[in-house]
DNA sequence: GTATATTAAGACAAAATAGTCTTATATATT
DNA sequence: AATATATAAGACTATTTTGTCTTAATATAC
């Protein structure tokens, strides 16, 4: 799996927040219910995004979380970096720590090309894009969670 | 990480076997020493490849493992499928079980394009390619394991 | 046939990841 | 002030992945 489960949860919650495009705060409980993710676990995931200043949180009644910037200004990659870190950018396909331009492993050239494409995509796509696609499918995220399609 | 550690060990051992291009058996001990991988763990990894009939094994003195076919006839993808299975081929970037053409998740189109490129590469590269590159670098795999480059 | 060399198999341990639960802290409402 | 609502933080548990160790099975050589 390319991204950790934690990261995927963060991406889904971020995309859902973006699709709501609300100015006020959304509770994590609402997000966890819609996404069918454990409330407590999602709380911890979103804390990372808050610390990275991708989200803003507010305690107490009418509190919750919201995007810290406009959805078009937060990239897929921002969420990945915040949660999974930058290991994806540097990792050798064969897991060799010394692999690089000077001492390429047998996979280096092929893999770094592909990796660059992945990174480009992640830097290209914003939460707004995710939210747009999300809305255009006329599907709730919840429907995915039921696994009703192969 | 795209591939499991187990899978990476399998790939490295397979590439090393291919680079030796020996007709007789190589002991797992020799492979594990050169690759600096735990002997017992590598044994279990290679057992999977043997069961998948990518390798042949032989017990007793002068025994060991060798490629079951010529190196140019075993693909990177064969090893990945044997060890990690085909989850990579089907996985949605957002981990949504229902994601597909009928009910695409917000990432579906972009991700399936990239995924296809990855799969194409893995089906394209053979152990012979890995071995060639490996030899042309004039580096032992061992030098990578020391992590002497950023 | 006994000793030696090798993979096969499976029990066990350690580490990383994922998930749960409880308590603390901040805010709003009354 | 008291109560209710929300995130923050951290202890704890469960699961998966990775790694270790012991024993079994098989083949060779003498």
């Amino acid at each position: 799996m390319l991204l950790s489960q934690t990261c995927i949860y963060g991406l889904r919650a971020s995309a859902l927040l973006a699709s709501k495009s609300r100015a006020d705060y959304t509770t994590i409980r609402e997000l966890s219910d819609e996404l069918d993710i454990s409330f407590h676990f999602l709380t911890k995931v979103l804390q990372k995004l808050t610390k990275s200043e991708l989200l803003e949180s507010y305690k107490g009644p009418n509190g919750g979380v919201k995007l810290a910037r406009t959805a078009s200004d937060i990239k897929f990659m921002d969420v990945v970096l915040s949660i999974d870190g930058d290991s994806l950018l540097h990792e050798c396909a064969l897991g060799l720590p010394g692999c690089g331009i000077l001492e390429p492993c047998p996979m280096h050239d092929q893999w770094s090309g592909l990796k660059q494409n992945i990174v480009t995509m992640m830097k290209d796509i914003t939460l707004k894009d995710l939210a747009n696609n999300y809305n255009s499918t006329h599907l709730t995220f919840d429907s995915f969670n039921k696994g009703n399609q192969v």
Side-chain angles (χ1 to χ4, degrees), chain A:
Chain A
M1 187 143 48
L2 191 66
L3 304 172
S4 72
Q5 192 62 37
T6 305
C7 186
I8 287 174
Y9 288 164
L11 284 164
R12 283 162 66 186
S14 302
L16 182 53
L17 269 179
S19 80
K20 290 181 181 296
S21 59
R22 283 162 49 181
D24 57 347
Y25 293 97
T26 303
T27 66
I28 298 177
R29 176 67 69 182
E30 178 179 335
L31 297 174
S32 72
D33 281 350
E34 284 195 47
L35 296 170
D36 202 28
I37 299 173
S38 144
F39 165 72
H40 288 290
F41 194 62
L42 186 59
T43 295
K44 291 211 300 188
V45 176
L46 298 189
Q47 277 173 26
K48 287 195 183 185
L49 297 181
T50 302
K51 280 182 183 160
S52 304
E53 299 186 326
L54 299 177
L55 301 184
E56 284 172 6
S57 68
Y58 199 80
K59 292 177 183 173
N62 306 318
V65 293
K66 67 177 180 183
L67 300 183
R69 301 176 245 146
T70 60
S72 59
D73 204 33
I74 299 180
K75 301 187 182 308
F76 193 98
M77 178 63 99
D78 293 331
V79 176
V80 172
L81 287 177
S82 167
I83 296 178
D84 277 353
D86 61 357
S87 59
L88 179 69
L89 282 66
H90 307 305
E91 248 162 26
C92 163
L94 299 182
L96 300 170
C99 176
I101 293 176
L102 291 177
E103 294 190 79
C105 84
M107 287 292 294
H108 183 78
D109 291 346
Q110 323 247 11
W111 179 240
S112 51
L114 281 181
K115 203 166 51 178
Q116 194 49 57
N117 289 342
I118 295 176
V119 169
T120 299
M121 178 197 74
M122 289 184 177
K123 285 184 176 172
D124 214 46
I125 294 183
T126 69
L127 293 188
K128 184 164 172 41
D129 298 324
L130 286 184
N132 286 345
N133 290 1
Y134 167 60
N135 288 328
S136 76
T137 61
H138 300 294
L139 288 170
T140 62
F141 269 93
D142 189 55
S143 80
F144 285 114
N145 294 316
K146 302 296 178 278
N148 48 2
Q149 181 184 342
V150 184

